[in-house]
Amino acid sequence: MTRPLSRVGLPGASSRHEITCPYCFASVARQRVLFRCRGQAGRTQGCAPVLDEALAAYMGSPAGASLPPVFAASGRKGRADCPACGRPTGNRACPECHNPLPAAYCDSPGRIVALVGAKNAGKSTYIAVLLHELMNRVGTELDASLVACDDRTIERYKRDFARPLLEQRRLLPTTASAATGPREPLVYLLTRTRRGRFTRARNDSLALVLFDTAGEDLRSREVTDLHLRYLEAADAIIFLVDPLELPGARTGLLDAAPVPRVPGDDPDSEPLNVIARVTETLRQRHGTRPGEPLPVPVAVALTKIDALRPALLRQSALHRSRSGAGVLDLDDRDAVDEQVRALLHEWQAGQLDTYLGQQYADHALFGLSALGGIPEGGRVGAGGVRPYRAEDPLLWLLHRFGMLDGVRPGGS
Ligand SMILES: Nc1nc2c(ncn2[C@@H]2O[C@H](COP(=O)(O)OP(=O)(O)OP(=O)(O)O)[C@@H](O)[C@H]2O)c(=O)[nH]1
Ligand SMILES: [Mg+2]
Ligand SMILES: [Zn+2]
Ligand SMILES: [Zn+2]
């Protein structure tokens, strides 16, 4: 049983009547979602595959786009009979791009999380590690399963993220601009079992859509059309900031850390300018007046904190491991938020915090490390990938989405 989540104050979340396609980000009325014939299987008769032109256009090639036909039908309980062959089907497809919309996605509120940050901020590495954490340690802790919604997501996660980084321990290549070819989001269904003391266990589901943007594409105002739609559809934003890019952080870095850029080198890639461009895009969609804060929650995370001198972290909240098990520890949250704010100000990057406070109704600061150590020679450091607090931004967002309780262990 899935329960509709409360959507109080959360914009963009698909309403009861509309869903946002996680592939083309079109907003479509539920009754417009198409069905796709199940085709021939074994000895049962069904429609033969034909070239699906809308899908081929989306994928940029006819390869893999020959499938049994789609058709419109009102459908009952998510099923309809194919008008051509009469076989019942429960397979759904987006009316715009014809990508499969898994039943679970149609039934659960989809939350599109936009992951943005300058070139080299650590976005791709973060996606690889965050998903792995959710499928393993953090998933267990939350009593949650993370399941890919389609085969392409499984394949792409393995090929582009898990195999190179986690198995072969090679750093990921720079993400190619979306202008060079179609790029697809990774679509997962996160299902949490919640056990009340006196109530029956209940499952809450959330479709999690992650899109790995190329920092390159966020440098200019001419963002691609797909990016624009992705940002416009976002229900939450994770904004990654590389502390090595903050000139003021230089003195706080380990000697082994790469030398930070010269300030003013490439103003387009400065964190503040990247977030300002994203913010402008969001403003157009939400139609807010300039002084009015945007309602989309923004998690701002300093990446690569393994490169900071231990002295900086010793007294710090960031130094502790998160204690919560299946809950969001709000005391810890406040302490980390304060700590990162102090670091930003110390590094003359307080502007970033001030700007976010002015533009967004709800932003929170984080510090994390996806790799857990400084890489060497294009490879992950000797100890392997040892993420640290990588899940924090997502836990906060789950809390915001009403899927994770917040507690104050201090009891206030
Ligand atoms: N020390 C340390 N370095 C990291 C970490 N994560 C990423 N890096 C370094 O940052 C580099 C860039 O990481 P990516 O994940 O490719 O960055 P990106 O934001 O996807 O970059 P683009 O695709 O160009 O936009 C990596 O090659 C690593 O050298 C981390 O947790 N710790
Ligand atoms: Mg990348
Ligand atoms: Zn058919
Ligand atoms: Zn679509």
Side-chain angles (χ1 to χ4, degrees), residues 243-244 246-255 259-263 309 347:
L244 309 178
L246 303 173
R250 194 164 302 202
T251 52
L253 300 179
L254 292 172
D255 295 335
V259 183
R261 276 183 331 119
V262 184
R309 288 186 189 283
W347 294 339

Side-chain angles (χ1 to χ4, degrees), residues 108-408:
S108 306
R111 300 293 192 181
I112 295 173
V113 179
L115 199 83
V116 295
K119 199 171 163 66
N120 211 46
K123 299 178 294 298
S124 303
T125 310
Y126 182 65
I127 288 186
V129 169
L130 176 68
L131 291 172
H132 184 259
E133 289 279 272
L134 285 175
M135 287 175 218
N136 296 280
R137 189 180 60 83
V138 178
T140 309
E141 184 194 307
L142 295 179
D143 229 336
S145 63
L146 187 76
V147 179
C149 277
D150 59 84
D151 295 344
R152 275 155 36 217
T153 291
I154 299 176
E155 213 172 283
R156 244 152 4 90
Y157 175 69
K158 270 200 207 136
R159 188 190 61 211
D160 298 343
F161 297 92
R163 197 170 299 141
L165 188 78
L166 304 172
E167 286 174 33
Q168 302 168 349
R169 299 194 178 180
R170 287 187 286 118
L171 296 180
L172 299 175
T174 296
T175 307
S177 162
T180 64
R183 288 262 309 298
E184 293 183 41
L186 297 161
V187 186
Y188 291 91
L189 194 73
L190 182 79
T191 304
R192 265 203 90 196
T193 306
R194 302 232 252 174
R195 295 171 217 279
R197 202 130 60 98
F198 306 109
T199 51
R200 277 194 314 152
R202 184 188 74 203
N203 289 336
D204 281 352
S205 289
L206 171 84
L208 187 64
V209 183
L210 290 172
F211 188 78
D212 185 17
T213 47
E216 183 63 35
D217 289 342
L218 297 167
R219 282 183 75 244
S220 73
R221 280 188 167 69
E222 295 147 37
V223 280
T224 63
D225 190 38
L226 187 63
H227 266 87
L228 216 64
R229 272 182 288 147
Y230 167 58
L231 290 174
E232 286 176 355
D235 298 303
I237 295 185
I238 297 180
F239 176 46
L240 297 185
V241 177
D242 180 355
L244 309 178
E245 291 285 306
L246 303 173
R250 194 164 302 202
T251 52
L253 300 179
L254 292 172
D255 295 335
V259 183
R261 276 183 331 119
V262 184
D265 228 11
D266 178 12
D268 284 341
S269 291
E270 258 152 50
L272 186 56
N273 295 334
V274 171
I275 193 71
R277 273 189 294 276
V278 170
T279 307
E280 268 172 41
T281 306
L282 290 173
R283 285 216 172 276
Q284 284 162 19
R285 127 109 192 276
H286 288 277
T288 45
R289 278 164 309 186
E292 203 181 325
L294 285 159
V296 189
V298 182
V300 184
L302 288 177
T303 54
K304 316 184 188 179
I305 63 161
D306 55 89
L308 302 183
R309 288 186 189 283
L312 261 186
L313 301 174
R314 194 157 300 141
Q315 298 290 318
S316 125
L318 280 173
H319 187 60
R320 288 197 300 265
S321 292
R322 199 172 45 78
S323 59
V327 287
L328 182 72
D329 179 339
L330 296 169
D331 290 335
D332 175 67
R333 184 77 287 281
D334 290 348
V336 169
D337 203 68
E338 266 316 299
Q339 178 75 41
V340 175
R341 179 164 295 114
L343 281 176
L344 286 175
H345 283 271
E346 195 179 309
W347 294 339
Q348 296 116 53
Q351 280 266 305
L352 199 61
D353 181 42
T354 309
Y355 178 83
L356 289 159
Q358 291 163 345
Q359 302 289 329
Y360 294 90
D362 200 8
H363 83 283
L365 306 174
F366 300 83
L368 58 88
S369 166
L371 298 179
I374 298 174
E376 287 162 54
R379 297 182 61 83
V380 174
V385 175
R386 285 171 306 179
Y388 178 67
R389 283 188 176 267
E391 70 278 20
D392 282 16
L394 195 80
L395 296 186
W396 179 71
L397 290 177
L398 289 180
H399 178 59
R400 281 288 176 278
F401 295 157
M403 276 182 77
L404 188 66
D405 294 332
V407 296
R408 292 207 177 269

